[in-house]
Amino acid sequence: MVKEKNPAVILMGKQATDNDNNQTAQMLAAQLDWPQATFASKIEFTDDKANVTRETDTGEEVLAIPLPCVITTDLRLNEPRFIPLPGIIKARSKPLTKLERQTTDQPRVEVLTYTAPATRSAGKKVATVDELIAELKSKGALA
Amino acid sequence: MNLLLIAFDAEDAVTCAAFGQASNHSFDILQLTGSPATHLGAGKVISLDLPSLPPADYFAAALKLIAEPYDRVAAVSSMRGKDALPRLAGLLDWPMISDITEIVDEKTFVRPILAGSILTKVQLNHPKAFLTFRPAGFPAPNLGGESQVESVNPEWIGSSKRLSESLSEGGRPDLATAKVVVSGGRPLKDAETFEKIVGGLADALGGAVGATRAAVDSGIAANELQVGQTGKIVAPDLYIAAGISGSTQHMAGIKDSKIIVAINTDGDAPIFDIADYGLVADLFDALPELTQKLQK
């Protein structure tokens, strides 16, 4: 699809809300041999490059990457604009192209089982800070 | 099966060794920055001794040849691990398993999905794989004998350029591996109040500071402090949640903590349903009192 459309930028979400993998965009960038900027909180385009502010373990960094490139979005990139109802109805009449998925024979990572994690239950209510300190000390959580 | 662990610095190497030892296989450590951690029981430590971490395109291109002979290549599921490892997996066309919390055997792993509400057991149907893991699932490693150090100088090729970077201010422990975490929500009003009240208690406990998405979005706390599904996953011995109601996404990031304490004015807040100790109180009274009494 990338070869057909020849885009300058591929913008993707950072992780799917179901499998939480956080892999697809980085793998795509590698296979295209394009530079990447993941977890973007701000993007500025110039003629031939993008300056991307991205979230890191220690704060932020700004990467300048030449186009074409792959960028994934983080939470604070943008506030989606409000779309009035006529706009939503209008959007419905736009052409929608459906592509067939190319599947491989056997998945390279296969899910065997789904289980519910151990749940936590509500503990004890304490009335005062002193009582809290005493409880935490008795559990060895405070020196 | 041979295993390579990619450590970004010496501190990371310790967390990596914990995963290596849990795998019950011998392992090598590839360390990118800092003096090589040779006391962790690794077969060898491959040291790159870089002044700083390169962007992902340089990283993947340079490390491809080093990673290729191994069967499993793993790193901590930090922002840098999540940025760089899938790119390396894409270059080598290996599958990848993210956010592992438990090793069943060399082909089978446990990982959470849907913000931690379901655990899946996944099986690898491929001889090679990249893995990222959450530090919380793997206890501190035993210290081993001296590992030999091998220095390598791979070729650095890429087109990204880092224009600026903020580094951690230091002083406080790393959020993802801290023994104590104190987190605050939006009721903390502004950055100064947040730092004084939440930071003050964290410092009294020698802990790290965390925040909710709401607090980060409203500019009260820095983005790297966000705890939750899309932020950092923490599992300290003690987690104190102040002024946090307890959204599903936030709780996904804290539920492996040993003891959770919730301090909130609203006694019906969902956070109390998972907290070991709940104190219905105004955090502006309770936190300074707690800080003061712990400093004694």
Side-chain angles (χ1 to χ4, degrees), chain A residues 1-12 28-29 31-34 68-70 99:
Chain A
M1 197 170 87
V2 171
K3 275 182 191 152
E4 195 183 302
K5 301 275 183 192
N6 197 23
V9 177
I10 300 175
L11 187 66
M12 299 170 75
L28 175 65
Q31 297 197 340
L32 293 168
D33 195 21
W34 289 7
C69 65
V70 177
L99 299 173

Side-chain angles (χ1 to χ4, degrees), chain B residues 1 3 9 12 16 39 43 74 130 161 170 189 212 269 276:
Chain B
M1 193 205 74
L3 168 66
D9 52 35
D12 219 26
C16 282
H39 59 294
F130 283 92
K161 199 174 151 202
K189 288 182 194 148
T212 60
D276 299 281

Side-chain angles (χ1 to χ4, degrees), chain B residues 202-223:
Chain B
D203 289 343
L205 288 161
V209 170
T212 60
R213 178 179 177 180
V216 174
D217 281 352
S218 52
I220 297 170
N223 66 274

Side-chain angles (χ1 to χ4, degrees), chain B residues 47-68:
Chain B
S47 170
L48 289 181
D49 199 20
L50 301 173
S52 66
L53 293 177
D57 52 342
Y58 288 87
F59 174 96
L63 267 49
K64 188 182 159 185
L65 289 177
I66 302 173
E68 206 164 14

Side-chain angles (χ1 to χ4, degrees), chain B residues 179-244:
Chain B
K179 295 277 176 220
V180 178
V181 174
V182 183
S183 282
R186 192 148 55 182
L188 270 306
K189 288 182 194 148
D190 55 48
E192 200 182 326
T193 315
F194 183 91
E195 171 54 30
K196 191 175 145 213
I197 305 260
V198 178
L201 179 57
D203 289 343
L205 288 161
V209 170
T212 60
R213 178 179 177 180
V216 174
D217 281 352
S218 52
I220 297 170
N223 66 274
E224 69 270 21
L225 301 183
Q226 186 181 320
V227 172
Q229 182 187 13
T230 51
K232 291 195 173 140
I233 309 291
V234 301
D237 293 340
L238 176 61
Y239 186 86
I240 300 180
I244 293 176

Side-chain angles (χ1 to χ4, degrees), chain A residues 115-137:
Chain A
T115 50
T119 51
R120 299 185 79 103
S121 47
K124 193 174 173 179
K125 285 265 170 74
V126 290
T128 63
V129 168
D130 287 329
E131 201 185 324
L132 177 62
I133 292 173
E135 287 285 354
L136 292 176
K137 279 189 173 161

Side-chain angles (χ1 to χ4, degrees), chain B residues 118-185:
Chain B
I118 292 176
L119 293 177
T120 59
K121 192 186 278 183
V122 296
Q123 180 183 286
L124 188 64
N125 297 325
H126 192 269
K128 307 235 181 192
F130 283 92
L131 315 169
T132 59
F133 62 92
R134 292 192 181 169
F138 304 94
N142 303 315
L143 304 183
E146 281 297 283
S147 313
Q148 59 172 41
V149 179
E150 185 182 306
S151 292
V152 288
N153 291 300
E155 202 180 348
W156 299 100
I157 303 163
S159 57
S160 310
K161 199 174 151 202
R162 184 179 283 128
L163 302 180
S164 66
E165 181 181 18
S166 64
L167 297 169
S168 54
E169 286 161 28
R172 288 187 184 135
D174 177 44
L175 186 54
T177 52
K179 295 277 176 220
V180 178
V181 174
V182 183
S183 282

